[in-house]
């Protein structure tokens, strides 16, 4: 039995515990250097940023440009990560374009494939419906996409990116995705290094499924190499990126300091020590300065979910877990006495985080958010308990039993709700009612999380005792093999994205920033649970990305 199994002198030593052999934390105390009392934005370039913002705002307001040029300019602004400064202006321009050039969903403007595909994607990204029939004219007499398009790499790439906005029943976008993926892959060896890099990147990480801040970091250098780039916009993107980065650094520093003082990772050595990655998770949900406080709360909640997940998945015995579940159901500090020592620590710390959240929401007059948060938190802990009981009894659930529970234990329903707690008055009580009743977009994000996690984590988890995964349940229920089960997962993920896109388009009562938070949760999974679980194995891609986004400034 691994050494950590007996770390708590008051826990029962003779009990079998499924301790996982998690890799250590890869950051140590690195971020402590950035801890800071003052959370003011760095003012050194503030005046220049303001003046650049004004110039870009004026460019957005001029009416003498062709609609396609305007849309491409807006696309660059958004990809460069500075769209949040111009939400109102961008909205006005796109609403007007939609009103003028889209009739009954059909785009009535004409241009080449690249321009039409960018227009299609940009409008849908704003939640404005446009029909994909605009791409029909690029098909030949046999009804398939014309081979002549293969030479148009820019058009193919744009059609590929546009196809990821697909909703259910859009056959033409399915065909577009298959066509562009196949041909972009096969021609990539014949392209210039610059173009081949763009193609390769898009094929592994489409724009729709990529995190905005990662895209900004990458696109700044792509845009810079485009001879026709807008110098003002580029300079704004660079300065703004670095200004926000220094805020993120302070936030990471402060949370690391809090975690070190709390000392919980030392006291719960069976759990993953991933505080930096938890900060990165919440920074991926929203990066804008107005969500600094929201990130702080969310990082702490993610950290606790991670400890609790490891307690249920690995160290806790089923009897101890029953006690912890009851304590969470009662949500009262008096439950502390019922718990074994190591759980006391976790429970107390969880309630402290809750008190902090409560204080903040009371300050904002938004206490109504709290009951929704607590309800979702209880639900996830009860679902963890169901999984622990299954494991204890060696019960292999049917897919019908497994999916509703495992969508909850993906953590994404409670994290969607948590993300809204810090988003201010746009997240009204009606919206909390909506988000906590598993709307399609949250269900989709939970599925993206659960099914991707199943594909990449299954073997590592089954080495120790772990509740049966989707793959096992499916293989047993349908008497089939692993490949078929993985295929079913992939199909589920594709469908989940269509649900996400559909709900995103159809929601008129939910402001886009809220929907974007949920999409960003799904995107995080698409990046960090793709080829492996980079949260648990955080030394590779995860570390490289954290370094690029939080540590290394963009050269200016
Ligand atoms: C989204 C949330 C809740 C983040 C907190 C950290 C966490 C539990 C990650 C998933 O771990 P895992 O891959 O071990 O998940 P599971 O145990 O569900 O397979």
């Amino acid at each position: 039995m691994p050494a950590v199994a007996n770390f708590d002198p008051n826990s029962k030593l003779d009990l079998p515990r499924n301790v996982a052999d998690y890799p250590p934390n890869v950051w140590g105390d690195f971020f402590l250097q950035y801890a800071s009392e003052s959370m003011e934005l760095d003012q050194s370039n503030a005046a220049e940023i303001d003046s650049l913002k004004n110039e870009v705002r004026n460019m957005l307001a001029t009416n003498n440009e062709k609609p396609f040029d305007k849309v491409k300019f807006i696309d660059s602004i958004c990809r460069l990560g500075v769209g949040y400064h111009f939400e109102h202006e961008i909205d006005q321009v796109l609403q007007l374009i939609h009103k003028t050039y889209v009739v009954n969903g059909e785009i009535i403007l004409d241009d080449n494939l690249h321009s039409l595909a960018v227009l299609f994607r940009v409008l849908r990204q704003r939640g404005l419906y446009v029909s994909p029939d605009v791409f029909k004219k690029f098909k030949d007499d046999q009804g398939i996409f014309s081979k002549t398009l293969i030479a148009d790499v820019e058009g193919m790439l744009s059609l590929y990116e546009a196809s990821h906005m697909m909703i259910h029943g859009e056959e033409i976008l399915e065909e577009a995705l298959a066509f562009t993926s196949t041909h972009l892959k096969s021609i990539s060896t014949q392209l210039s290094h610059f173009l081949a890099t763009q193609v390769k990147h898009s094929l592994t990480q489409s724009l729709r499924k990529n995190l905005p801040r990662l895209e900004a970091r990458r696109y700044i250098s792509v845009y810079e190499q485009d001879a026709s780039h807008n110098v003002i916009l580029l300079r704004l993107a660079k300065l703004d990126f670095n200004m926000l980065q220094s805020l993120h650094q302070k936030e990471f520093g402060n949370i690391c300091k809090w975690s070190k003082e709390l000392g919980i990772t030392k006291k719960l050595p069976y759990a993953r020590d991933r505080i930096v990655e938890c900060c990165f998770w919440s920074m991926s949900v929203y990066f804008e300065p107005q969500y600094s406080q929201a990130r702080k709360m969310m990082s702490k909640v993610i950290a606790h979910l991670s400890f609790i997940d490891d307690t249920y998945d690995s160290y806790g015995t089923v009897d101890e877990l029953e006690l912890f579940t009851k304590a969470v159901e009662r949500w009262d500090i008096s439950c502390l006495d019922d718990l074994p020592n190591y759980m006391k620590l976790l429970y107390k710390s969880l309630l402290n985080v809750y008190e902090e959240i409560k204080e903040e929401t009371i300050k904002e007059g938004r206490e109504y958010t709290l009951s929704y948060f607590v309800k979702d938190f209880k639900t996830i802990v009860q679902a963890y308990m169901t999984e622990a009981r299954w494991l204890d009894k060696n019960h292999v659930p049917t897919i019908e039993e497994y999916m509703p529970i495992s969508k909850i234990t993906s953590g994404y329903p409670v994290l969607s709700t948590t993300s809204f707690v810090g988003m201010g008055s746009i997240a009204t009580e009606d919206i909390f009612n909506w988000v906590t009743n598993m709307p399609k977009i949250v269900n989709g994000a939970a599925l993206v999380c659960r099914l991707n996690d199943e594909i990449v984590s299954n073997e590592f988890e089954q080495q120790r005792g772990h509740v049966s995964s989707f793959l096992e349940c499916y293989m047993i229920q349908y008497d089939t093999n692993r490949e078929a089960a993985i295929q079913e997962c992939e199909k589920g993920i594709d469908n989940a994205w269509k649900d996400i896109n559909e709900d995103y388009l159809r929601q008129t009562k939910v402001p886009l920033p809220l929907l974007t938070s949920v999409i960003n949760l799904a995107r995080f999974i698409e990046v960090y649970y793709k080829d492996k679980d980079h949260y648990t194995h955080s030394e590779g891609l995860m570390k490289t990305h954290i370094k690029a986004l939080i540590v290394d400034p963009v050269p200016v």
Side-chain angles (χ1 to χ4, degrees), residues 36-95:
S36 163
E37 297 269 309
S38 153
M39 296 306 281
E40 288 289 301
L41 279 172
D42 175 12
Q43 293 301 309
S44 49
N45 291 309
E48 187 181 353
I49 290 177
D50 268 349
S51 121
L52 291 165
K53 266 166 40 185
N54 281 335
E55 289 189 65
V56 172
R57 193 166 288 120
N58 288 339
M59 291 179 220
L60 272 169
T62 53
N63 285 325
N64 54 3
E65 259 174 296
K66 295 192 200 106
F68 283 113
D69 292 339
K70 205 60 167 255
V71 166
K72 286 176 194 162
F73 186 54
I74 288 175
D75 191 35
S76 300
I77 293 175
C78 296
R79 294 182 79 161
L80 290 165
V82 287
Y84 75 99
H85 289 303
F86 312 105
E87 284 303 325
H88 176 67
E89 292 81 358
I90 290 175
D91 227 42
Q92 278 198 324
V93 174
L94 293 182
Q95 293 280 1

Side-chain angles (χ1 to χ4, degrees), residues 32-269:
L32 289 183
Q33 64 180 302
Y34 302 117
S36 163
E37 297 269 309
S38 153
M39 296 306 281
E40 288 289 301
L41 279 172
D42 175 12
Q43 293 301 309
S44 49
N45 291 309
E48 187 181 353
I49 290 177
D50 268 349
S51 121
L52 291 165
K53 266 166 40 185
N54 281 335
E55 289 189 65
V56 172
R57 193 166 288 120
N58 288 339
M59 291 179 220
L60 272 169
T62 53
N63 285 325
N64 54 3
E65 259 174 296
K66 295 192 200 106
F68 283 113
D69 292 339
K70 205 60 167 255
V71 166
K72 286 176 194 162
F73 186 54
I74 288 175
D75 191 35
S76 300
I77 293 175
C78 296
R79 294 182 79 161
L80 290 165
V82 287
Y84 75 99
H85 289 303
F86 312 105
E87 284 303 325
H88 176 67
E89 292 81 358
I90 290 175
D91 227 42
Q92 278 198 324
V93 174
L94 293 182
Q95 293 280 1
L96 184 64
I97 287 180
H98 190 258
K99 214 166 110 193
T100 320
Y101 301 110
V102 180
V103 177
N104 297 327
E106 305 295 332
I107 296 176
I108 55 166
L109 279 171
D110 200 13
D111 206 331
N112 60 23
L113 178 59
H114 167 62
S115 296
L116 287 169
V118 172
L119 176 65
F120 175 88
R121 175 173 54 76
V122 168
L123 289 175
R124 280 212 177 180
Q125 278 170 192
R126 276 279 133 175
L128 299 167
Y129 177 76
V130 257
S131 161
D133 288 352
V134 68
F135 300 121
K136 267 188 185 162
K137 66 173 186 151
F138 298 102
K139 289 183 156 189
D140 61 19
D141 318 341
Q142 334 233 315
I144 52 174
F145 278 103
S146 164
K147 292 268 186 293
T148 57
L149 296 176
I150 299 171
D152 174 14
V153 181
E154 189 181 41
M156 293 257 289
L157 204 50
S158 298
L159 179 59
Y160 167 85
E161 295 292 7
S163 70
H164 284 85
M165 302 304 298
M166 107 181 47
I167 60 176
H168 294 281
E170 294 189 319
E171 205 52 47
I172 190 166
L173 292 183
E174 299 270 12
E175 293 164 25
L177 177 60
F179 177 82
T180 52
S181 305
T182 310
H183 293 293
L184 283 169
K185 204 166 172 183
S186 67
I187 56 165
S188 62
T189 50
Q190 300 152 39
L191 302 174
S192 69
H193 175 70
F194 176 73
L195 213 47
T197 313
Q198 308 320 310
V199 166
K200 210 168 141 216
H201 169 81
S202 294
L203 289 175
T204 38
Q205 203 65 66
S206 70
L207 198 47
R208 182 59 168 168
K209 298 181 182 170
N210 199 15
L211 288 162
R213 198 73 180 151
L214 272 179
E215 171 63 11
R217 184 69 163 91
R218 188 192 73 87
Y219 197 66
I220 285 174
S221 57
V222 172
Y223 188 66
E224 190 163 26
Q225 291 174 68
D226 174 351
S228 65
H229 73 251
N230 182 306
V231 183
I232 291 164
L233 178 59
L234 178 66
R235 175 121 183 117
L236 172 65
K238 287 179 172 183
L239 294 182
D240 196 67
F241 189 97
N242 290 345
M243 184 186 66
L244 279 189
Q245 184 183 68
S246 60
L247 175 68
H248 296 149
Q249 286 173 348
K250 289 184 200 171
E251 292 170 2
F252 275 52
N254 289 351
I255 294 283
C256 288
K257 186 162 171 264
W258 162 82
S259 166
K260 194 167 170 126
E261 285 166 6
L262 192 64
I264 201 164
T265 43
K266 286 236 156 47
K267 292 174 193 150
L268 303 179

